[in-house]
């Protein structure tokens, strides 16, 4: 799929936005996980129809957007996502958010932006923080990306259930380290524990949720308890054998879910 890169001015600087595909919509607008990048979605985008419109970018504080100043909290990330949509998507769109990006997408969807046609949440952080998010847990999580060694430990013991090819594994490690301290710490220390249950009832579009069968980060039971009661029209699908990093572990399953979701919207 051919992509062009557009430099988009926003608060504090600019953002490189990758716009791909063609005119087949609604456009898919991707938001990556804590430690991810636009590249997290490579294998998913490659499996989509050639004409499918796509939009993706590194979120503020990460990768090519590392130099953008804070704040890096969820509301700022949702504002950035809204700016990308307004500037780069001329028609209807579907937000596709993974983990932290899923919570950002929920925040924006709850604002009911013009043109929003649907929401696909991939192993998302739920709107109501589960009781397991203790202060001790969050402090420990904040050090998961301190070094290449800690990232590899997180990959092997927390983030993935399926083995990654070495080149992909190395790319994930690089992405996880490509942030300044303030951006890296914001999510585990504050964002992950932010309660957005007052916002998500505003989500009125179709919602599909994907969860990995072996995901210890956002397991299906947490999503059933902390997301589905607040977005009751959402559908939940489990990807067999997969862990938390569904876009890189199970890109076929994610791409299939996106194609099926778009097909349902077009009926």
């Amino acid at each position: 799929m051919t992509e062009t890169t557009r430099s988009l001015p926003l608060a504090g600087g600019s953002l490189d936005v990758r716009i791909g595909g063609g005119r087949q919509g609604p456009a898919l607008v991707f938001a990556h996980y804590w430690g991810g990048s636009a590249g997290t979605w490579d294998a998913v985008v490659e499996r989509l129809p050639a004409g499918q419109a796509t939009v993706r970018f590194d979120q503020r504080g990460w990768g090519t957007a590392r130099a953008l100043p804070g704040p890096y909290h969820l509301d700022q990330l949702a504002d950035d996502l809204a700016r990308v949509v307004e500037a780069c998507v001329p028609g209807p769109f579907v937000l596709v958010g993974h983990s932290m990006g899923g919570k950002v997408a929920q925040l924006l969807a709850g604002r009911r932006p013009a043109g929003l046609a649907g929401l696909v949440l991939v192993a998302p952080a739920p709107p109501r923080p589960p009781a397991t998010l203790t202060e001790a847990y969050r402090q420990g999580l904040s050090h998961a990306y301190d070094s290449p060694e800690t990232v590899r430990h997180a990959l092997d013991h927390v983030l993935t259930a399926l083995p990654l090819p070495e080149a992909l594994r190395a790319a994930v490690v690089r992405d996880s380290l490509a942030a300044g301290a303030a951006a890296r710490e914001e999510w585990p220390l504050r964002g992950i524990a932010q309660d957005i249950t007052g916002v998500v009832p505003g989500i009125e579009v179709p919602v599909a949720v994907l969860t990995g069968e072996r995901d210890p980060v956002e397991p299906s039971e947490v999503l059933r308890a902390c997301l589905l009661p607040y977005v009751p029209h959402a559908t939940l699908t489990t990807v067999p054998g997969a862990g938390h990093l569904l876009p890189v572990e199970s890109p076929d399953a994610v791409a299939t879910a996106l194609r099926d979701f778009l097909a349902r919207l077009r009926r």
Side-chain angles (χ1 to χ4, degrees):
M1 181 182 290
T2 302
E3 288 183 312
T4 59
T5 300
R6 174 178 175 182
S7 180
L8 177 66
L10 44 65
S14 63
L15 198 65
D16 289 339
V17 182
R18 294 163 61 176
I19 303 171
R23 297 183 179 276
Q24 184 175 329
L28 298 175
V29 182
F30 296 92
H32 65 74
Y33 74 104
W34 176 65
S37 71
T40 298
W41 303 101
D42 281 351
V44 174
V45 170
E46 288 168 3
R47 287 162 169 78
L48 297 173
Q52 176 62 51
T54 61
V55 176
R56 50 187 174 141
F57 60 99
D58 295 350
Q59 295 196 70
R60 180 180 295 266
W62 292 91
T64 59
R66 180 172 181 170
L68 281 173
Y72 303 105
H73 53 63
L74 290 177
D75 290 292
Q76 179 63 64
L77 299 184
D79 288 347
D80 291 346
L81 182 57
R83 171 71 177 135
V84 168
V85 167
E86 291 164 1
C88 302
V89 183
F93 63 96
V94 171
L95 294 174
V96 186
H98 176 216
S99 194
M100 178 186 78
K103 199 165 186 177
V104 173
Q106 291 170 67
L107 266 179
L108 180 56
R111 301 177 185 175
R112 303 177 187 174
L116 179 64
L119 180 62
V120 178
L121 302 173
V122 181
R128 178 167 66 84
T132 51
L133 292 181
T134 63
E135 175 68 19
Y137 173 88
R138 290 186 285 116
Q139 287 292 338
L141 183 62
S142 71
H143 295 289
Y145 300 158
D146 281 357
S147 69
E149 292 73 25
T150 60
V151 176
R152 286 192 285 267
H153 183 274
L155 277 174
D156 292 338
H157 299 283
V158 181
L159 294 175
T160 61
L162 300 173
L164 302 181
E166 190 52 43
L168 180 55
R169 179 180 169 87
V172 172
V173 172
R174 287 195 300 272
D175 282 350
S176 301
L177 299 172
R184 189 173 65 247
E185 294 172 356
E186 176 62 33
W187 171 249
L189 294 183
R190 286 169 287 277
I192 197 172
Q194 184 175 334
D195 189 320
I196 62 168
T197 55
V199 177
V200 293
I203 301 174
E204 297 180 335
V205 295
V207 180
V209 183
L210 294 184
T211 179
E213 180 186 31
R214 299 168 60 193
D215 182 358
V217 180
E218 306 296 354
S220 59
E221 59 267 24
V222 165
L223 297 179
R224 288 190 179 95
C226 299
L227 188 151
L228 294 185
Y230 305 97
V231 191
H233 61 287
T235 62
L236 178 65
T237 302
T238 299
V239 179
H244 187 60
L245 296 192
L246 286 171
V248 294
E249 288 184 87
S250 301
D252 283 321
V254 176
T256 297
L258 290 172
R259 289 195 299 268
D260 291 348
F261 186 80
L262 290 171
R264 289 196 297 272
L265 290 183
R266 294 181 183 123
R267 287 174 190 159

